Amino acid sequence: MSAARSVRTAASAAVGGSNRGRDGAREIPDATIARLPVYHRVLGQLAESGVTTVSSEELAAACGVSSAKLRKDLSHLGSYGTRGVGYDVRFLAYQISRELGLSQPWGVVIVGAGNLGHALVAYRGFASRGFAVVGLLDSHPDVVGRTLGSADSPIVVRPMHELEAVVADGGAHIGVIATPADAAQDVCDRLVAAGVRSILNFAPAVLSVPEGVEVRKVDLAVELQILAFHEQRRNDEPPESAEREIPSFVPESLGEAINA
Amino acid sequence: MSAARSVRTAASAAVGGSNRGRDGAREIPDATIARLPVYHRVLGQLAESGVTTVSSEELAAACGVSSAKLRKDLSHLGSYGTRGVGYDVRFLAYQISRELGLSQPWGVVIVGAGNLGHALVAYRGFASRGFAVVGLLDSHPDVVGRTLGSADSPIVVRPMHELEAVVADGGAHIGVIATPADAAQDVCDRLVAAGVRSILNFAPAVLSVPEGVEVRKVDLAVELQILAFHEQRRNDEPPESAEREIPSFVPESLGEAINA
DNA sequence: CCGTGTGAAATATTTCACAGCC
DNA sequence: GGCTGTGAAATATTTCACACGG
């Protein structure tokens, strides 16, 4: 309602500040945090394939990063590797999941049951990472009342006015906005008023939230435009074929393990 | 096919390198490029509302960034503002669109016609930014042949084996992967073989591509895990309420203009 | 040996603060 | 007087390269 809230966007503001080592020891850089989920997923795939140990070189290649970056990232969590050997796949996966807070379940409320909302509800890998959809809301009378999701965990679309109740009853921690852009700020305000402090916004709109609330955004149009920019650049300047590139590659063994 | 391709991910690698001023003048930082689409969208909204001029302070607030950052970003494009006055909304929007390559149309091929694929096809703001869906493919017999999209620009789901033909005939520049993770690398390889050098990947998988191909990824699970991390942090350490925050806000006038 | 963990150097990005121009 | 454009300082992130431990 009032203007007494600040505008915050994805990368711009984390909770209070990033990593000016405040009190204790570990202040993990944002850039590292953003990569941990990928490391975690790949480690899970390796574990499933029976791989028990990986070197930073191998894991880095499988994750699409440099080994130096991977080691530096992991060093922020602690010393979980063994020199001369590498990392124990399961142990490292566990440490990362703990750091990310995946060991406890997080309730997610999804607002907007259009195509995107459907896609989100259908997303496997939700539950597997400790996220549970505790509510799905939409304002359109035609979809309210419908049941989505798998047979074993059905989700009924609730009317918008139940948002506050759904958040409270479900103990939701994270709100996902999958509405048209013009509804996004209202939905955001209501989520925040209901106590949600972490929001993932798919609507192409800049959201204003009070301090202490984190918003991350996923914007298709933005991604396409970034690609278009580079595409244009490539076409503009065809000169110079000099190469500078880290010719990393996925080792046979791991490649197969992951595609298995 | 072979292992002679490097692994690249979203932020990791641009086309050749970022902004080591090679030849001419303008090397725009990646971080700036990533924000230009937002500036562009907001400027468009302002223009529609009849606003003709904005100061960096106002525009920055509406975009959720600091004014210093906005000015620095814009300075990479040229000197398009007027000291003591601000920026001409339409002129600046045009300059940004030109820089992003939005003045020419880009063909987009979407692979995967599940819920996400549907959502992407339905996405308005696709066409408005110069992107045109020139093809939609899926491997599932049940969806192949169906017609999606609006009445005035219908899109028929084509079978996967037509991928190469669709890319060639439609002159597609950008490929969007909206398939399950286990199909992503195959689809990616075929897109690249067909000549696509810009890929947007929604599948939770690390893609390997040859040099010269750019991949950007959008990963729901990653975003949720980042939010979960911060959420956990907030709960772990309730101490210290000292504030450090840029108390920016959206001015009445602009706020209304944008929500109009 | 081999591969991790890490200081130190190199880059990239953000913020400051103010000169310059309308 | 007000606001842009921008060097210079402060931060953040990545890369290097090597000491150290199993």
Side-chain angles (χ1 to χ4, degrees), chain A residues 155-169:
Chain A
I155 306 284
V156 178
V157 181
R158 314 281 291 274
M160 278 301 291
H161 72 259
E162 291 185 18
L163 188 150
E164 289 72 13
V166 168
V167 171
D169 296 352

Side-chain angles (χ1 to χ4, degrees), chain A residues 37 41 102 123-126 129 131 200, chain B residues 204 218-227:
Chain A
R41 188 181 63 221
L102 305 186
Y123 186 58
R124 301 163 306 111
F126 232 151
R129 295 287 183 301
F131 297 99
L200 181 53
Chain B
V218 171
D219 190 329
L220 168 67
V222 168
E223 299 302 322
L224 287 178
Q225 287 170 66
I226 293 171
L227 286 173

Side-chain angles (χ1 to χ4, degrees), chain B residues 68-86:
Chain B
K69 193 186 280 183
L70 174 67
R71 287 201 302 280
K72 180 71 90 181
D73 282 344
L74 296 182
S75 76
H76 291 295
L77 312 193
S79 292
Y80 298 136
T82 306
R83 293 172 195 231
V85 180

Side-chain angles (χ1 to χ4, degrees), chain B residues 43 52-54 80-82 86-93:
Chain B
L43 283 167
T52 59
T53 302
V54 267
Y80 298 136
T82 306
Y87 302 89
D88 179 272
V89 173
R90 303 186 98 88
F91 182 62
L92 183 56

Side-chain angles (χ1 to χ4, degrees), chain A residues 7-8 22 41 64 99 126 197-198 211-212 216 219 223-224 231-232 234 237 240 243 245, chain B residues 7-8 22 41 64 99 126 197-198 211-212 216 219 223-224 231-232 234 237 240 243 245:
Chain A
V7 174
R8 289 176 165 228
R22 194 170 43 56
R41 188 181 63 221
E99 195 64 57
F126 232 151
R197 288 187 300 179
S198 296
E211 186 182 349
R216 291 192 65 83
D219 190 328
E223 299 302 322
L224 287 178
E231 186 76 28
Q232 176 182 239
R234 254 170 293 181
E237 45 143 274
E240 185 187 29
E243 313 299 354
E245 170 71 9
Chain B
V7 175
R8 290 177 165 226
R22 192 168 46 53
R41 188 180 63 220
E99 193 63 58
F126 231 150
R197 287 185 301 179
S198 297
E211 185 181 351
R216 291 192 64 82
D219 190 329
E223 299 302 322
L224 287 178
E231 186 75 29
Q232 176 182 236
R234 256 171 292 182
E237 44 145 274
E240 183 186 28
E243 312 301 354
E245 169 72 5

Side-chain angles (χ1 to χ4, degrees), chain A residues 15-81:
Chain A
V15 176
S18 46
N19 64 336
R20 319 84 177 245
R22 194 170 43 56
D23 58 338
R26 49 175 133 55
E27 277 304 320
I28 306 180
D30 284 348
T32 294
I33 297 299
R35 286 185 293 266
L36 291 182
V38 175
Y39 301 161
H40 184 250
R41 188 181 63 221
V42 172
L43 283 168
Q45 292 168 328
L46 291 175
E48 263 186 42
S49 308
V51 177
T52 59
T53 302
V54 268
S55 66
S56 63
E57 200 72 55
E58 295 166 326
L59 181 56
C63 295
V65 301
S66 71
S67 63
K69 193 186 281 184
L70 174 68
R71 287 201 304 278
K72 180 71 88 179
D73 282 344
L74 296 183
S75 76
H76 292 294
L77 311 193
S79 292
Y80 298 135

